[in-house]
Amino acid sequence: MTGCSRYHLNMSTNPTTEELLRRYGGAVPRYTSYPTAVQFKGDFRPKTGDIPENAEVSIYVHIPFCRSLCSYCGCLTRVVHDDSPVNNYLAALDEEIGLLGSMTGYSLTAGHIHFGGGSPNLLSGEDIESLINLIDLNFDIRDGAEIAIEADPRQMTAEKARGYALAGVNRVSLGVQDFQRETQLAINRIQPYSQVEACVGWLGDAGIDNINFDLMYGLPCQTEDTIADNVQKAVTLNPSRISVFGYAHVPWMRPHQKILEKYSMPGPLERFRQAQVAREAFLDKGYLGIGMDHFALPGDRLAVAAGNRELRRNFQGYTTDRAKTLIGLGISSISCLPGAFMQNTTSFKVYKEKLSLGDLPVEKGTYLTPEDIMRADVIEQLMCYFTVDAADACRRHGFSEAHLAEDVAYLRQMEQDGIVELDGSVVTITESGRPFVRSVCAAFDSYFEGAQNRHARAV
Ligand code: SF4
C-alpha cells in the first residue's frame, strides 16, 4: 500500500502546467535515501558490526561552520567569527574517527571521501590534510579515491587551493547559487563573478580540475532572464558538473528564512519555468542531464556512470559512489550501514559529551526491512533513470511480482496526465513528467503521508 491517496483518478486530459503543479508539485521528499530521514527514530542502537570485512566504504565528514548566515540556508551550520569552536570540534571529530576505526575492528578501504557543511573550506589545507591522514590511518584510503570538498567562494584563497590539492583533494564543489547582485543582496551572500572566477583559477593552478557548481532557482528577485544569465556566466567558467537546486522555503524548520518573505519570491509556475530555462540552457551548451537536477560534461565521471547505468543516489545527491556502506562523521551526519541508517546528534554539546565517554554520538536511526530495501531500489531507479520495472524489482528482492501492483495502479492518474507511461509493471516517466519525478517516487513510499510541513516542494 502507498500513502499516495491524493492522486484520485479524474480522467482529465491535457492538463495545464498550473494544474500539474497543483496536483504533483506539493511537498515530497528529495529521496536521497529511503526510508527518508523523517522516519529515523530515537530507540536505535548503533551497529557497525555488519560491515563486511575489507569492504570499500565511503566517508562523509560534516564541518558545520560558516562565517555568516545565508538567508536561504537549510543546512545544519553555526556562524563563527574565530577558530576556537572549530578547533574544539576538530578534536572531537578526531575522537570519532578513531572510535569508529577501532569499532569496525578490521581494515576497511575508503573509496570516496566528501567534506560537506557548512563551509568546510573554513579549514586550512593543514586541517584537511590531518583529517585525511587520520581517516587513512583508520580506513585505508585506496589509490585513486575521490576526495571532494564543498567550498564557499568567499572563503577560498590560492593558498587553501594549494593546500587542499597537496592533501589529496581532487574535486571541489563551489557554492555559486546566483551571480546577480540583487539576489545576492537579498540572500546575504555577496560574491561577484570575479570571485568565483578567481577560485576556479586558483583550483586549476593547484591541479584541481574537477569542479562542480551549485546553482539555485526560486530565490528572491530571480527571473527566467536572470537564470539564463547565470547559466551563461557559469558555462564561461567550464565546471565539469553543475547542480541546480530549487530553493526550499521551510521557515517552520529554519526560522531565519522568514526574512526572505519581504521580497518578491517566484511562485510555483515561475519556479517551474526557471528550472526549465536552466535545464534547456545547460543541455544547449553541451552538458548532459543527470537525474532530475544535475548536469555534467560528457567526459565527467558522473556522465560516464550515467551512461553505464552505474549512477547512484545518496545523501550528497547523484554520485558515482557504488559503496554499500557510507560512514557519516560529525554532527548530524547520516551513516548508511548494511541493514540500517543511523544519524548523529545535531547538538554540539551532546556530540562532545558522548565521544568523551567513548560512545558513538548517534541520536537516531532505522533498521531496514526487506521491503524497505526493495522499495529503495525502485525509488533509486526512478530518481536516476526515470524508469523501473516494478515486478522485476520485486522478483530480485524475493517478493511476488505482483507485490507493487497496487502502487503502480496509483499512477493511473499520472498516466492520464502525461507524467508517466505504464506498460504492465514498467513505469517510465515521460520527458515532460521528469520535473515531477519525486512525486512519482512518493507513490512507492509506504511511509509518505503528504505532510506539507516535513518536506520542500517537488518543483
Ligand atoms: S555558506 Fe552554505 S551552509 Fe553556510 S550559511 Fe550559506 S548556505 Fe548555509
Side-chain angles (χ1 to χ4, degrees), residues 288-347:
L288 301 176
I290 311 288
M292 66 173 184
D293 52 15
H294 282 41
F295 302 88
L297 289 173
D300 184 272
R301 282 167 60 179
L302 198 66
V304 174
N308 294 337
R309 289 191 77 87
E310 291 175 343
L311 189 65
R312 298 295 310 274
R313 186 159 172 84
N314 69 12
F315 298 105
Q316 278 83 60
Y318 292 102
T319 176
T320 58
D321 182 2
R322 296 192 64 75
K324 290 194 165 61
T325 300
L326 169 70
I327 294 176
L329 301 164
I331 67 163
S332 78
S333 292
I334 298 175
S335 295
C336 172
L337 305 171
F341 290 121
M342 64 182 193
Q343 182 169 24
N344 279 354
T345 175
T346 54
S347 157

Side-chain angles (χ1 to χ4, degrees), residues 113 205 273 299 373 399:
I113 300 172
D205 290 346
R273 288 185 175 145
I373 293 167
F399 289 83

Side-chain angles (χ1 to χ4, degrees), residues 65-66 68-70 72-75 77 117-119 152 154 189:
F65 301 103
C66 295
S68 61
L69 187 63
C70 307
Y72 65 87
C73 181
C75 303
T77 192
S119 301
D152 178 343
R154 299 167 298 172
R189 187 178 179 124

Side-chain angles (χ1 to χ4, degrees), residues 170-221:
N170 47 33
R171 180 171 288 281
V172 173
S173 185
L174 289 175
V176 175
Q177 322 310 357
D178 190 292
F179 287 109
Q180 319 298 321
R181 184 162 175 83
E182 200 184 3
T183 295
Q184 291 186 357
L185 280 167
I187 62 176
N188 191 34
R189 187 178 179 124
I190 302 292
Q191 49 180 48
Y193 173 85
S194 57
Q195 198 161 25
V196 179
E197 185 181 33
C199 289
V200 172
W202 294 328
L203 292 166
D205 290 346
I208 302 176
D209 295 322
N210 298 312
I211 295 176
N212 304 10
F213 279 6
D214 286 347
L215 296 177
M216 293 180 75
Y217 66 88
L219 289 170
C221 312

